Amino acid sequence: MVIFQPDYPPAQALDRQIKELDRAITTESNQVGGSSVAAARSAYDAALAREQELRSRVAGTKTNLVDERRRSVQYGILQREVDTNRELYDGLLQRYKEVGIAGGVGTNNVAIVDRALTPGSPSSPNLISNMFTALLVGLALAALLTIILAQIDTTVRDPAEAQDVTELPLLGVIPDTDNELAIEEVRDRKSSQSEAYLSVQTALRFSTTTGVPKSLMCTSTRKGEGKSTSSYALALSLHRIGRTAIVVDCDLRSPSVHRLAGVANGAGTSNFLSGNNDILSMVHHDESDGLAFITAGPMPPNAAELLSSDRIADLIAALSQHYQHIVLDAPPVLGLADSPLLASKVEGVVYCVEAEGARTNAIRYSLARLRAAGATLLGVVLTKFDEKRAYYGYGYEYGYGYADAQPGE
């Protein structure tokens, strides 16, 4: 426009183009700038309103805090007042009680109606009633305990029970004594032991039609029931009445005859069973009473095999030529095969049962084994019997007596 005039066509064209661009810029500026300003304005207004709200809440919180502090101070004042009033109340209440007690001291409404009498006897406990009650309770407990013990104890306690359990005739009852003195009492003709075995020997006379069997053996359910002493005592009883008798120790596992006789266990039964036929060289005689006996001999490793051979029959046959009665001391039945083997070789078996010793089930089982072996059971001998502990009386000096006998019997 400096060089040319405004009406110069190129200049007018450029001017129109400039104006057109200005209009476009203005239009775009209006479009863009208007919405942004409105949005910013709206955000500003919202932020301002939020600020005012927060200011209002802060002011309210400050007011509440101040009020809370004021109320806390007021609560402390009231709390102190309550404590003071409580102390005053407690003091007044204590004083009121003291005054009430002091006032009641002077006023007494109690009067003596009747004088108390000293009792002549205590009202409780009643001695007679308590003793009677204790007696009844004691009897009931004793009866209950007796029943319980009777159910628990399955041993043989008296001769009647021995007959019921074994189902054999009772040959005799041997009183209890010290084991170490048993053989000494057997040797004493006046002792109760000697008298008891004499009664057993007498009963054996009536056990068979021919009297006392020529060969018999004594055995028991388990060891320690007096079978060895019974064997020795029966042979001694026969020896004393003039019969020739000999005791043969056939308990090869636990021999006892040599200890009863007080000699060493030399050559004996095991030697004969092993093949030594010189039987007479094995016979010993008791120094005190002259009873003949044969010890068990050396302990063999195969006792059952020796006893199961025919040598036992040969032994009995060889001794029968010189003696009228052969008494074998056999091993116990329970758990061993020796006694059933021996039982089939002798004419009779005397079964020894210790009082309060072996269980009845074991006794029945042992007798069943002997019966199965074909043994002839002559009867039962109850050993180590203490008449003070059983419902049975047994007298050796003047006769027999039973505790359950009727009056006058």
Side-chain angles (χ1 to χ4, degrees):
M1 293 306 292
V2 176
I3 300 174
F4 300 101
Q5 292 295 325
D7 55 355
Y8 183 65
Q12 292 179 351
L14 291 172
D15 185 48
R16 287 194 298 275
Q17 187 176 0
I18 291 171
K19 290 179 180 180
E20 186 67 27
L21 291 174
D22 289 338
R23 283 195 301 272
I25 291 171
T26 302
T27 301
E28 290 295 330
S29 297
N30 291 335
Q31 291 179 355
V32 176
S35 60
S36 299
V37 171
R41 185 67 181 179
S42 177
Y44 170 75
D45 293 339
L48 182 61
R50 179 65 176 169
E51 180 186 3
Q52 292 175 353
E53 181 184 359
L54 292 176
R55 287 181 182 276
S56 176
R57 292 177 63 181
V58 169
T61 303
K62 289 181 178 180
T63 302
N64 291 338
L65 179 61
V66 173
D67 185 62
E68 183 70 23
R69 289 178 178 176
R70 181 184 60 78
R71 285 184 291 175
S72 177
V73 173
Q74 187 65 25
Y75 174 78
I77 295 172
L78 294 175
Q79 183 66 37
R80 286 192 296 273
E81 185 176 356
V82 168
D83 294 339
T84 303
N85 291 337
R86 181 179 291 109
E87 292 177 358
L88 291 175
Y89 172 76
D90 292 340
L92 291 174
L93 182 62
Q94 181 68 22
R95 182 61 181 166
Y96 173 76
K97 290 181 178 180
E98 292 175 356
V99 172
I101 294 173
V105 172
T107 304
N108 188 2
N109 57 354
V110 178
I112 299 175
V113 178
D114 194 5
R115 293 288 180 180
L117 299 177
T118 302
S121 60
S123 60
S124 179
N126 191 333
L127 181 60
I128 298 177
S129 176
N130 290 349
M131 290 181 64
F132 183 72
T133 303
L135 178 62
L136 293 180
V137 173
L139 290 175
L141 292 177
L144 179 61
L145 182 61
T146 302
I147 294 173
I148 293 175
L149 291 177
Q151 295 295 325
I152 295 176
D153 187 8
T154 59
T155 59
V156 176
R157 299 177 62 88
D158 54 49
E161 190 175 358
Q163 288 181 289
D164 294 338
V165 171
T166 61
E167 299 179 357
L168 296 174
L170 181 67
L171 298 177
V173 179
I174 311 302
D176 190 19
T177 185
D178 190 350
N179 290 331
E180 296 180 357
L181 302 177
I183 192 62
E184 298 300 330
E185 292 195 15
V186 168
R187 292 191 176 101
D188 184 4
R189 294 175 181 267
K190 298 180 181 180
S191 67
S192 58
Q193 290 268 336
S194 180
E195 292 289 337
Y197 281 112
L198 179 59
S199 66
V200 175
Q201 181 255 118
T202 303
L204 285 175
R205 293 184 185 181
F206 302 98
S207 62
T208 64
T209 58
T210 58
V212 180
K214 291 185 177 181
S215 62
L216 59 89
M217 80 173 200
C218 293
T219 186
S220 60
T221 305
R222 56 187 179 88
K223 66 178 182 178
E225 295 193 66
K227 62 175 183 59
S228 298
T229 304
S230 298
S231 303
Y232 194 94
L234 286 176
L236 181 59
S237 178
L238 292 169
H239 175 73
R240 284 174 176 173
I241 63 173
R243 311 288 292 181
T244 55
I246 185 172
V247 183
V248 181
D249 194 347
C250 293
D251 191 352
L252 305 183
R253 303 174 191 269
S254 180
S256 302
V257 172
H258 68 281
R259 287 197 297 269
L260 297 177
V263 298
N265 186 17
T269 306
S270 61
N271 298 95
F272 184 85
L273 297 179
S274 300
N276 186 355
N277 293 323
D278 190 7
I279 188 64
L280 296 179
S281 64
M282 305 175 191
V283 177
H284 303 271
H285 292 84
D286 196 313
E287 295 180 356
S288 60
D289 46 45
L291 177 65
F293 62 90
I294 297 177
T295 61
M299 187 177 299
N302 54 346
E305 295 180 6
L306 291 179
L307 295 174
S308 63
S309 65
D310 295 333
R311 295 289 292 177
I312 285 293
D314 297 338
L315 174 65
I316 296 174
L319 293 175
S320 298
Q321 299 176 8
H322 305 278
Y323 298 94
Q324 294 173 304
H325 301 284
I326 300 98
V327 182
L328 305 184
D329 177 21
V333 179
L334 196 63
L336 300 175
D338 301 356
S339 286
L341 294 173
L342 291 171
S344 61
K345 304 294 186 357
V346 296
E347 296 181 6
V349 177
V350 175
Y351 199 81
C352 299
V353 175
E354 178 186 0
E356 301 182 31
R359 303 289 183 180
T360 55
N361 292 337
I363 295 173
R364 292 191 179 99
Y365 172 73
S366 300
L367 290 173
R369 290 188 62 195
L370 293 176
R371 290 188 178 100
T376 301
L377 297 172
L378 302 176
V380 59
V381 175
L382 185 63
T383 62
K384 302 182 182 180
F385 176 69
D386 186 1
E387 61 182 13
K388 297 179 181 179
R389 300 179 60 184
Y391 307 105
Y392 183 84
Y394 196 86
Y396 299 101
E397 296 181 358
Y398 299 100
Y400 303 87
Y402 294 85
D404 56 354
Q406 299 297 328
E409 295 183 354

